[in-house]
Amino acid sequence: MTFAGYFLITSRQGSAIPTYFLALTGLVGMFFSPIHVLKQIYVSRTLRVLVFFLLYLVLSLTWYEGSGDTTGVLKSVLIDAIVLFFACVAFLHVKRDIDLTKLAIVLVLLGASIAALVLLLIEILKLPLTYTGAWNVWGVAAIAFGFAFLVSVTCALRYRATWEGILFSTVALLCFGVIVLINSPIVYFGLLAALVSLSFAALWEARFQRQSLFWVFLSGVLMILSLQVFNELMEEKRSAIWASTLDSLFDGKLIVGAGYPTISAPITNCVDAEAFASINGSCVFDHPHNMFVSTIYQLGLSGFLILFVLYLVALGGLFESRIEHRWLLGGSLVYAGAVFLFEGQMLVSNMNYVWLIFWLPIFLIVREESRLSSFG
């Protein structure tokens, strides 16, 4: 219910509470069976890289360059990293005969469908929006509903011509209605990028069949559309604030970064980023609006390389495995990566959309790698 609650609980602090219970479950499980957890770290390549990334992130706290209550900030980040790790460990202690990925899909889509239905009714009836929850920032809400749409569409195609397929299609329509209502180009690009990856996956599986021509055509159309949206986003001159952020690293911080969670405040000429400034509302940006640029700024090229390896290991493990939901999980990571190109500030924090679109697929991949290693 941790991830379903993200759509329904009315505050970010409130939505973080279930993650603490999830982490507590992992902590208790590790207390009673530490050898089991250590074994899973050994057998799961994704978990090994994740642990290494979190250790490097915690190490970077020692050169954090923040001001004000630095002790409080560092304590908060340390807690967030610990919660993230033990939340992942909790997934390893679920009974192995339970399809945890399918259970997570059902719960997330349940929360998303209820939230989408309420939001659409509010819009249709022109009622005041007194509930916030995941909708507090429209762009962030669109990212969450985009993830739910991707999951529901993938499941609808898998279970087509069944009652499950009808339910998943209904959820997809509700989420798509919210996406259109918010009208976020970032989400459109993320969805198109994910659908390109899924169409290539379908092409690979049907490569010796007649229908492969259809998937070639569909892949080409989706690639053209995704490139068009990408170009529209780049025309907003976001690269100006990315360059401003990265330029500040050349003063001896390029390798290890400024330390997590140092906040970068990009300084740029209004003319250079005029289009994006009009969207942002001012020429003052509180972060680069790019998760990868933020990661390089905070953790340097070293931290970015570890994150890149985490992506490669997770995706590579999916494509060469027998994991039942591998295309769904792979498409979710592609969606997250595409969104991160134009949004994001901190990879590790309390419950937010990053948990939903990035860490949840990572946790499920770790879980599936663990199950496969145990079954042979």
Side-chain angles (χ1 to χ4, degrees):
M1 293 301 292
T2 299
F3 297 93
Y6 175 72
F7 290 95
L8 302 173
I9 299 176
T10 58
S11 70
R12 182 174 177 182
Q13 291 76 16
S15 63
I17 292 175
T19 64
Y20 298 143
F21 284 106
L22 183 64
L24 182 61
T25 303
L27 177 62
V28 172
M30 186 169 182
F31 177 79
F32 285 105
S33 55
I35 301 300
H36 170 72
V37 175
L38 292 175
K39 180 182 176 182
Q40 300 313 311
I41 294 176
Y42 176 76
V43 300
S44 171
R45 293 181 299 179
T46 303
L47 183 54
R48 287 202 301 271
V49 181
L50 172 59
V51 169
F52 190 62
F53 177 77
L54 291 177
L55 288 175
Y56 179 80
L57 182 143
V58 171
L59 178 64
S60 76
L61 297 177
T62 59
W63 58 84
Y64 167 63
E65 296 184 351
S67 58
D69 182 18
T70 57
T71 302
V73 171
L74 298 181
K75 180 180 177 181
S76 176
V77 171
L78 186 59
I79 291 174
D80 290 338
I82 293 172
V83 167
L84 184 70
F85 170 72
F86 282 110
C88 183
V89 169
F91 278 56
L92 300 175
H93 290 287
V94 178
K95 289 185 178 180
R96 298 187 180 280
D97 57 345
I98 296 177
D99 189 343
L100 189 58
T101 301
K102 188 171 183 178
L103 178 61
I105 288 171
V106 170
L107 292 176
V108 167
L109 294 185
L110 177 63
S113 59
I114 294 173
L117 180 60
V118 172
L119 186 56
L120 290 173
L121 286 175
I122 289 174
E123 177 64 21
I124 293 171
L125 299 175
K126 303 300 180 182
L127 299 175
L129 180 59
T130 56
Y131 173 86
T132 54
W135 319 333
N136 190 35
V137 178
W138 283 114
V140 171
I143 292 171
F145 284 110
F147 174 78
F149 172 77
L150 175 66
V151 172
S152 55
V153 165
T154 306
C155 292
L157 292 174
R158 180 176 181 181
Y159 296 103
R160 58 186 177 275
T162 66
W163 66 269
E164 291 174 301
I166 295 173
L167 288 177
F168 285 126
S169 298
T170 303
V171 175
L173 288 174
L174 289 172
C175 293
F176 185 72
V178 175
I179 294 169
V180 171
L181 175 64
I182 298 174
N183 193 29
S184 169
I186 295 175
V187 174
Y188 294 148
F189 173 67
L191 289 174
L192 286 169
L195 291 174
V196 167
S197 69
L198 291 174
S199 64
F200 273 121
L203 172 61
W204 175 256
E205 291 194 338
R207 60 191 181 278
F208 300 121
Q209 304 172 20
R210 291 182 179 178
Q211 62 189 37
S212 62
L213 293 176
F214 167 77
W215 292 114
V216 169
F217 173 76
L218 182 61
S219 300
V221 171
L222 290 173
M223 285 184 65
I224 292 172
L225 291 174
S226 61
L227 288 173
Q228 181 177 350
V229 178
F230 178 81
N231 287 334
E232 290 177 0
L233 286 167
M234 291 303 295
E235 285 175 0
E236 297 172 357
K237 305 298 182 182
R238 294 168 182 259
S239 56
I241 61 173
W242 301 344
S244 172
T245 301
L246 295 176
D247 284 346
S248 64
L249 289 176
F250 286 96
D251 187 19
K253 307 172 192 173
L254 187 60
I255 302 301
V256 297
Y260 197 89
T262 306
I263 304 298
S264 63
I267 301 173
T268 184
N269 189 321
C270 250
V271 176
D272 294 337
E274 182 178 0
F276 189 48
S278 64
I279 297 173
N280 187 62
S282 73
C283 293
V284 179
F285 305 98
D286 54 355
H287 63 92
H289 293 273
N290 183 313
M291 184 67 80
F292 301 117
V293 171
S294 293
T295 300
I296 294 174
Y297 181 82
Q298 295 162 344
L299 301 176
L301 291 178
S302 301
F304 175 75
L305 178 61
I306 300 172
L307 176 61
F308 181 70
V309 171
L310 178 61
Y311 253 105
L312 285 183
V313 168
L315 288 172
L318 283 175
F319 295 145
E320 66 184 25
S321 73
R322 305 184 307 275
I323 294 175
E324 183 180 359
H325 304 282
R326 62 186 182 277
W327 302 129
L328 171 61
L329 295 174
S332 299
L333 285 181
V334 172
Y335 173 75
V339 168
F340 287 166
L341 281 174
F342 298 99
E343 193 53 76
Q345 180 178 5
M346 291 191 289
L347 268 173
V348 177
S349 62
N350 58 12
M351 182 66 181
N352 61 5
Y353 74 93
V354 179
W355 275 73
L356 183 69
I357 72 172
F358 181 69
W359 292 121
L360 175 58
I362 291 292
F363 292 172
L364 292 171
I365 291 170
V366 168
R367 151 80 175 182
E368 294 298 336
E369 286 178 350
S370 172
R371 289 180 71 239
L372 289 177
S373 68
S374 299
F375 289 144

